[in-house]
Amino acid sequence: QKEVEQNSGPLSVPEGAIASLNCTYSDRGSQSFFWYRQYSGKSPELIMFIYSNGDKEDGRFTAQLNKASQYVSLLIRDSQPSDSATYLCAVKAGNEKLTFGTGTRLTIIP
Amino acid sequence: GAGVSQSPRYKVAKRGQDVALRCDPISGHVSLFWYQQALGQGPEFLTYFQNEAQLDKSGLPSDRFFAERPEGSVSTLKIQRTQQEDSAVYLCASSFDRVDSPLHFGNGTRLTVT
């Protein structure tokens, strides 16, 4: 079992709809949770991070964390074609390395 | 510069050659990480430095891989006797030394071994 699991997709969502990306992790000691966006041929760029159970909103993005279920998700509201990318979930235990999932490829259909 | 800088951007090596990849982290960032990313996969951890100390090298795939950060700033990842399976994008990232500090990535070095 991989430490961080994501559905690889592709996930297709109509423009203007809500895109929902999910991630589960195996290490109960994980303390910090990050979502990165990666365009093809580019490096990962940070979108959001969350540490506490519940929701965290930033513009069109909402991160949700449920530590009891070891589950973290990212919602993208009013999806735009520019949101088409691979979304990487990453978790950190302590102040050490980030462990990444394989990423979910998201396509927004105009 | 304001971001993590990596060089070269692209490297083509013949099988058996040695390569050296450079990373210049964000000023003030204590922690420095190297990741390897194969096509269609997420980044895989290679090694981690806190200042000049290499605290974790558990992800280095073989003893052909060696990383250093002698003065606690610039880091070099060296791959000896390159093999075709070493072909990947090598990403460097830096951060503050805090549990809530995200990693900031450089643009990566795409290594192709022919």
Side-chain angles (χ1 to χ4, degrees):
Chain A
Q1 181 190 8
K2 285 185 69 70
E3 293 179 58
V4 179
E5 299 227 29
Q6 296 181 254
N7 188 324
S8 61
L11 175 65
S12 296
V13 172
E15 184 175 355
I18 296 175
S20 178
L21 304 161
N22 305 314
C23 172
T24 58
Y25 59 95
S26 60
D27 184 356
R28 285 198 172 271
S30 299
Q31 297 174 273
S32 312
F33 306 86
F34 303 83
W35 283 100
Y36 283 80
R37 178 176 63 199
Q38 188 172 29
Y39 293 113
S40 181
K42 302 295 186 181
S43 61
E45 58 178 321
L46 181 70
I47 298 176
M48 289 196 69
F49 51 88
I50 187 168
Y51 317 117
S52 304
N53 276 327
D55 295 0
K56 178 181 178 182
E57 186 175 318
D58 183 1
R60 296 187 296 112
F61 299 96
T62 299
Q64 299 174 318
L65 175 61
N66 183 325
K67 289 186 178 180
S69 300
Q70 296 176 241
Y71 174 91
V72 58
S73 66
L74 179 70
L75 301 178
I76 306 174
R77 289 181 300 281
D78 187 23
S79 297
Q80 303 296 310
S82 60
D83 295 328
S84 297
T86 295
Y87 289 80
L88 297 163
C89 172
V91 305
K92 184 194 276 194
N95 60 351
E96 298 178 355
K97 65 184 181 184
L98 275 184
T99 300
F100 286 85
T102 55
T104 297
R105 189 154 53 94
L106 174 66
T107 300
I108 306 302
I109 304 168
Chain B
V4 177
S5 177
Q6 290 188 248
S7 62
R9 186 78 177 88
Y10 302 94
K11 177 69 179 177
V12 178
K14 291 187 176 177
R15 191 163 60 96
Q17 282 185 329
D18 297 349
V19 298
L21 313 179
R22 176 190 166 102
C23 173
D24 198 341
I26 293 172
S27 178
H29 278 188
V30 169
S31 300
L32 185 146
F33 302 80
W34 284 97
Y35 283 81
Q36 180 190 59
Q37 188 172 26
L39 193 64
Q41 301 296 313
E44 293 282 344
F45 171 78
L46 293 177
T47 186
Y48 156 58
F49 290 85
Q50 190 177 84
N51 295 307
E52 69 279 2
Q54 189 174 21
L55 299 188
D56 187 348
K57 54 181 180 179
S58 62
L60 296 176
S62 78
D63 58 7
R64 296 187 295 104
F65 287 71
F66 172 76
E68 60 183 3
R69 194 186 183 195
E71 297 179 358
S73 55
V74 172
S75 176
T76 303
L77 175 67
K78 297 179 180 178
I79 309 173
Q80 296 177 322
R81 304 180 304 282
T82 52
Q83 303 295 314
Q84 283 194 318
E85 62 263 28
D86 300 334
S87 296
V89 175
Y90 290 86
L91 295 166
C92 177
S94 68
S95 74
F96 292 111
D97 185 27
R98 296 197 312 263
V99 65
D100 61 348
S101 182
L103 268 60
H104 298 270
F105 284 87
N107 287 325
T109 294
R110 182 178 296 276
L111 173 65
T112 303
V113 181
T114 62

